[in-house]
């Protein structure tokens, strides 16, 4: 009798062992693994083994093959059978979790949601799975841009974690909610939430890596919150703490001891991903502050680390980090007068977006905006207008919308004969435009100076200098243009340097300073020459044809053309 009971276990374990051997072979032998698992059903196994085998088959097919229909069939059977077996939580909820992922991959979100809701409803006595399924449903709502529902679920998760005594996972739920509130710009709710999170994180005594990862999450939110508000100077202590925190994490060894509370079995991000994220927020800070060489240095480090990680890890977040880093460095190149390199990096973003439809959906507007900025830099104004118009059609993000519209206004100004379009655009940007421009610029200068926004300060100074020059106030103009030139050289901002040197040449000529006028003219000539050479190099690249792309996914191949088709015209 005893041998009859043990028999199914012996053959099952043997087949399972073979399946696992084939799955973990190098390279994996998935077909043989699937055959071994399918053989289990020939023995008419009991429900527990039947459900578990359906789960294993569904998981292998989902993760290692393109046969999603067969994977779905096995996962649905695992979910259905496991609900009839008492105390079979792991199989039941893992089946629900993977099946809902598969539904989302097939764009069947309306099938995934009720499945997850039911799994959440019946998992309240299983803390780990209840929390994991809540996170999963919140993520699904986030991907659908339903941030209100996602925030509600994260709030439910935080309260549940508090009740089951998991302050660590409570902090993860609250920090995730804080991240979504920042995305929604609900700043009044963000402040008290971040304050509460700070207290929970500092008071929590547990695994050192988990504690430090919570601190990284908390500090990343604080830093991005400051940067969103343009508070580049105020954020420095926070950013320094974040950089120290990531250094601490890199020296800690992963503790193999499992937490005693099953609700604590979560990680926010792997250490290596956190490291790239800290580089990314440092690049964002350097860009806003106008430390472009520093931004370049940290971008190079981050991209090098990303390339290494992507060899071993196909996590979609790595491609997202890569695209955001490239978006920042492309703006950097355009400011420093490296248009050809910027264009090649725009092409890299296109390639990354070709590999992931979701990535393209999330970054299409930014990609067309970058192409619009490139078009302005090479004086292709019609293409710039088309790119910005496309970007406006693709974005719902308020800040990006304002940025695009402002750049479109600059296109109309430079074209000189688009007054009607310009005025209607200005009306949309700021309906209340009854302010004196000179005072407004002085306010901008005061604010940007207070927060070390070097590039904004340099632009404000040179524009004020130009206004004073036109008004005939040469002394005041000189007081503005000289520091603008110094600041622009420090960044370095090629357009502001070109503009400042042209003004200095005219100013010194008007003041009778022949030597200084000659020196400024020579500087202007050098900057013009550098920009002209870069302009020709950029327009000669096959990637230059991207300026004509305004519809659908990025073009797969870019045909070479015979040479530059645009003139440098006026770079001012």
């Amino acid at each position: 009798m005893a041998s009859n009971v043990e028999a199914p276990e012996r053959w099952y374990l043997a087949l399972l062992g073979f399946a696992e051997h084939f799955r973990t072979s190098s390279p994996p032998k998935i077909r043989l693994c699937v055959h071994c698992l399918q053989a289990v059903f020939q023995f008419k196994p009991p429900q527990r083994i039947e459900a578990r085998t359906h789960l294993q088959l569904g998981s292998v097919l989902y993760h290692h093959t393109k046969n999603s229909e067969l994977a779905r069939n096995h996962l649905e059977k695992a979910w259905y059978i496991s609900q009839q077996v008492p105390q079979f939580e792991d199989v039941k909820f893992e089946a629900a979790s993977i099946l809902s992922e598969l539904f989302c991959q097939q764009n069947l979100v309306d099938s995934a949601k009720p499945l997850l809701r039911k799994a959440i409803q019946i998992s309240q006595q299983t803390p780990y799975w209840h929390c994991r399924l809540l996170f999963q449903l919140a993520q699904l709502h986030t991907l659908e841009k339903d941030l209100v529902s996602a925030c509600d679920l994260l709030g439910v998760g935080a309260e549940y974690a508090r009740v089951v005594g998991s302050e660590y996972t409570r902090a993860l739920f609250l920090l995730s909610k804080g991240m979504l509130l920042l995305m929604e710009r609900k700043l009044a709710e963000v402040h008290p939430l971040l304050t509460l999170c700070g207290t929970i994180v500092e008071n929590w005594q547990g695994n050192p890596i988990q504690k430090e990862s919570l601190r990284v999450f908390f500090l990343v939110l604080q830093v991005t919150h400051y940067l969103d508000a343009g508070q580049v100077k105020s954020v420095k202590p926070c950013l320094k703490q974040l950089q120290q925190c990531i250094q601490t994490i890199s020296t800690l060894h992963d503790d193999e001891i499992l937490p005693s509370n099953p609700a604590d079995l979560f990680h926010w991000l792997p250490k290596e991903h956190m490291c790239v994220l800290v580089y990314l927020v440092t690049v964002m800070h350097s860009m806003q502050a106008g430390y472009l060489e520093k931004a370049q240095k940290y971008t190079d480090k981050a991209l090098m680390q990303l390339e290494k990680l992507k060899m071993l890890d196909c996590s979609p977040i790595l491609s997202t980090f890569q695209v955001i880093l490239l978006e920042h460095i492309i703006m950097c190149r355009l400011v420093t007068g490296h248009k050809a390199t910027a264009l090649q990096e725009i092409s890299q973003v296109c390639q990354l977006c070709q590999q992931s439809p979701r990535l393209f959906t999330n970054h299409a507007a930014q990609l067309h905006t970058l192409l619009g900025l490139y078009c302005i830099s090479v004086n292709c104004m019609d293409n710039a207008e088309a790119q910005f118009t496309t970007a406006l059609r693709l974005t719902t993000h308020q800040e990006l919308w304002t940025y695009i519209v402002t750049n479109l206004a600059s296109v109309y100004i430079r074209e000189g004969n688009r007054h009607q379009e310009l005025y209607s655009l200005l009306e949309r940007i700021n309906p209340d435009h009854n302010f004196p421009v000179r005072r407004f610029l002085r306010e901008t200068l005061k604010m940007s100076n207070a927060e070390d926004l070097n590039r904004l300060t340099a632009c404000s100074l040179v524009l004020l200098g130009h206004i004073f020059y036109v008004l005939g106030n040469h002394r005041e103009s000189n007081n503005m243009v000289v520091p603008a030139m110094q600041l622009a050289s420090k960044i370095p901002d090629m357009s502001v340097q070109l503009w400042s040197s042209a003004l200095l040449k005219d100013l010194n000529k008007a003041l009778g300073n022949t030597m200084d006028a000659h020196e400024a003219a020579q500087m202007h000539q050098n900057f013009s020459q550098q920009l002209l050479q870069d302009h020709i190099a950029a327009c000669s690249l096959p990637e230059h044809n991207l300026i004509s792309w305004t519809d659908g996914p990025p073009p797969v191949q870019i045909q070479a053309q015979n040479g530059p088709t645009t003139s440098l015209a006026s770079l001012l």
Side-chain angles (χ1 to χ4, degrees):
M1 189 74 183
S3 62
N4 286 344
V5 173
E6 288 168 10
E9 286 195 10
R10 284 204 298 269
W11 56 254
Y12 173 61
L13 291 173
L15 285 168
L16 199 60
F18 279 125
E20 189 60 10
H21 166 73
F22 291 130
R23 190 186 70 82
T24 55
S25 296
S26 187
K29 296 170 182 171
I30 298 303
R31 188 183 293 275
L32 292 171
C33 170
V34 168
H35 283 324
C36 288
L37 291 170
Q38 282 173 331
V40 171
F41 301 123
Q42 304 300 317
F43 291 84
K44 301 286 188 290
Q47 277 192 318
R48 293 179 81 85
I49 289 178
E50 187 186 358
R52 191 180 290 279
T53 306
H54 278 303
L55 171 61
Q56 287 160 327
L57 269 166
S59 180
V60 166
L61 289 164
Y62 172 63
H63 289 112
H64 298 281
T65 76
K66 291 182 179 174
N67 198 338
S68 52
E69 279 310 309
L70 191 56
R72 175 180 168 178
N73 185 267
H74 282 294
L75 291 166
E76 282 176 336
K77 283 178 180 171
W79 168 238
Y80 175 71
I81 298 166
S82 62
Q83 288 178 76
Q84 300 165 37
V85 182
Q87 296 179 329
F88 209 34
E89 272 68 17
D90 277 359
V91 169
K92 185 171 22 185
F93 299 127
E94 190 171 343
S97 177
I98 300 174
L99 183 55
S100 65
E101 270 184 45
L102 189 148
F103 281 144
C104 289
Q105 195 184 66
Q106 295 181 319
N107 290 322
L108 299 169
V109 176
D110 289 337
S111 299
K113 280 192 243 178
L115 172 64
L116 282 171
R117 278 197 284 267
K118 182 171 182 188
I120 287 165
Q121 189 185 343
I122 60 176
S123 65
Q124 294 198 29
Q125 302 309 311
T126 316
Y128 167 74
W129 277 109
H130 190 65
C131 291
R132 180 168 159 177
L133 293 162
L134 279 165
F135 274 127
Q136 194 170 342
L137 185 54
Q139 185 181 26
L140 198 159
H141 282 301
T142 304
L143 291 172
E144 283 200 300
K145 304 281 191 286
D146 181 2
L147 301 187
V148 174
S149 298
C151 279
D152 288 345
L153 281 163
L154 293 168
V156 169
E159 181 54 23
Y160 176 83
R162 187 190 67 78
V163 169
V164 297
S166 172
E167 287 295 284
Y168 168 76
T169 302
R170 183 188 175 204
L172 277 182
F173 274 114
L174 289 172
L175 287 164
S176 302
K177 185 178 177 180
M179 181 170 67
L180 297 189
L181 290 171
L182 278 174
M183 285 166 66
E184 281 193 284
R185 297 292 183 268
K186 291 190 173 173
L187 303 185
E189 293 176 51
V190 170
H191 293 300
L193 188 69
L194 284 183
T195 305
L196 173 62
C197 289
T199 309
I200 296 171
V201 171
E202 289 312 310
N203 292 341
W204 186 70
Q205 300 301 317
N207 179 314
I209 283 195
Q210 284 184 308
K211 185 176 174 76
E212 289 303 310
S213 73
L214 282 181
R215 291 189 75 224
V216 169
F217 196 170
F218 171 68
L219 288 165
V220 163
L221 292 186
Q222 278 209 310
V223 169
T224 49
H225 187 24
Y226 274 117
L227 291 179
D228 270 355
Q231 294 177 311
V232 168
K233 193 175 185 177
S234 314
V235 79
K236 281 182 181 176
C238 252
L239 186 61
K240 197 172 182 183
Q241 264 184 289
L242 179 58
Q243 289 161 343
Q244 287 166 346
C245 204
I246 202 70
Q247 284 177 339
T248 304
I249 284 189
S250 58
T251 62
L252 293 170
H253 294 289
D254 286 323
D255 213 333
E256 292 301 318
I257 302 166
L258 289 175
S260 54
N261 190 334
D264 282 348
L265 285 166
F266 292 97
H267 283 294
W268 174 49
L269 281 177
K271 282 196 295 192
E272 298 78 13
H273 292 198
M274 280 191 262
C275 191
V276 175
L277 180 60
V278 173
Y279 277 137
L280 176 54
V281 294
T282 307
V283 168
M284 287 163 68
H285 176 262
S286 302
M287 278 290 298
Q288 278 202 32
Y291 304 134
L292 300 194
E293 283 174 2
K294 199 187 259 188
Q296 170 70 63
K297 184 181 82 173
Y298 284 116
T299 301
D300 288 345
K301 284 185 175 182
L303 289 174
M304 209 182 300
Q305 193 153 339
L306 272 171
E307 285 305 321
K308 286 181 195 167
L309 287 174
K310 285 181 89 172
M311 287 177 193
L312 308 163
D313 184 349
C314 57
S315 174
I317 199 169
L318 295 179
S319 294
T320 302
F321 285 162
Q322 196 172 358
V323 165
I324 297 170
L325 279 160
L326 285 167
E327 285 170 353
H328 279 80
I329 206 63
I330 289 160
M331 289 190 284
C332 217
R333 308 278 192 212
L334 293 172
V335 170
T336 56
H338 297 98
K339 297 184 279 288
T341 313
L343 187 56
Q344 288 165 327
E345 285 162 343
I346 289 173
S347 178
Q348 260 184 278
V349 177
C350 286
Q351 287 164 29
L352 286 164
C353 287
Q354 279 163 12
Q355 294 158 22
S356 164
R358 183 178 289 164
L359 202 57
F360 178 62
T361 303
N362 291 336
H363 291 268
Q366 291 92 314
L367 191 44
H368 284 289
T369 305
L370 290 170
L371 277 167
L373 295 173
Y374 166 76
C375 291
I376 290 178
S377 76
V378 290
N379 215 44
C380 298
M381 292 302 161
D382 288 348
N383 297 97
E385 183 180 355
Q387 291 296 338
F388 290 137
T389 306
T390 304
L392 284 175
R393 178 167 48 80
L394 293 170
T395 191
T396 53
H397 193 279
Q398 185 56 47
E399 276 83 355
L400 182 58
W401 183 90
T402 307
Y403 181 74
I404 298 164
V405 169
T406 310
N407 279 288
L408 186 54
S410 79
V411 170
Y412 292 155
I413 290 167
R414 288 171 67 147
E415 286 191 304
N417 58 348
R418 307 289 296 276
H419 302 301
Q420 197 48 55
E421 290 103 319
L422 177 63
Y423 292 137
S424 62
L425 208 56
L426 291 174
E427 193 69 39
R428 286 168 74 194
I429 299 170
N430 192 335
D432 177 28
H433 47 75
N434 300 318
F435 48 75
V437 173
R438 196 184 308 174
R439 188 187 62 76
F440 194 65
L441 269 173
R442 284 198 183 278
E443 282 302 307
T444 304
L445 190 56
K446 216 183 288 180
M447 286 190 292
S448 59
N449 212 20
E451 278 296 341
D452 285 351
L453 297 164
N454 290 331
R455 206 165 158 250
L456 193 54
T457 303
C459 290
S460 304
L461 282 168
V462 74
L463 185 52
L464 269 169
H466 203 136
I467 291 166
F468 283 125
Y469 176 74
V470 170
L471 293 172
N473 189 341
H474 294 163
R475 186 181 296 280
E476 196 63 32
S477 176
N478 196 59
N479 290 344
M480 298 292 164
V481 180
V482 170
M485 187 64 166
Q486 290 165 345
L487 208 46
S489 308
K490 187 174 130 187
I491 291 170
D493 184 321
M494 284 296 279
S495 298
V496 174
Q497 282 178 296
L498 189 73
W499 190 359
S500 301
S501 57
L503 268 172
L504 280 173
K505 178 185 71 175
D506 294 343
L507 261 174
N508 283 303
K509 205 181 278 182
L511 293 166
N513 302 332
T514 314
M515 290 290 287
D516 291 340
H518 178 72
E519 192 182 320
Q522 191 58 55
M523 269 198 296
H524 188 263
Q525 176 64 24
N526 293 345
F527 292 135
S528 299
Q529 203 56 43
Q530 279 180 54
L531 284 166
L532 178 60
Q533 285 167 1
D534 183 52
H535 177 99
I536 292 165
C539 296
S540 304
L541 290 169
E543 291 88 346
H544 181 75
N545 282 343
L546 278 170
I547 67 172
S548 305
W549 162 61
T550 54
D551 195 36
V556 178
Q557 284 184 316
I558 303 151
Q559 297 300 317
Q561 58 181 47
N562 298 324
T565 55
T566 59
S567 62
L568 184 64
S570 164
L571 282 159
L572 286 177

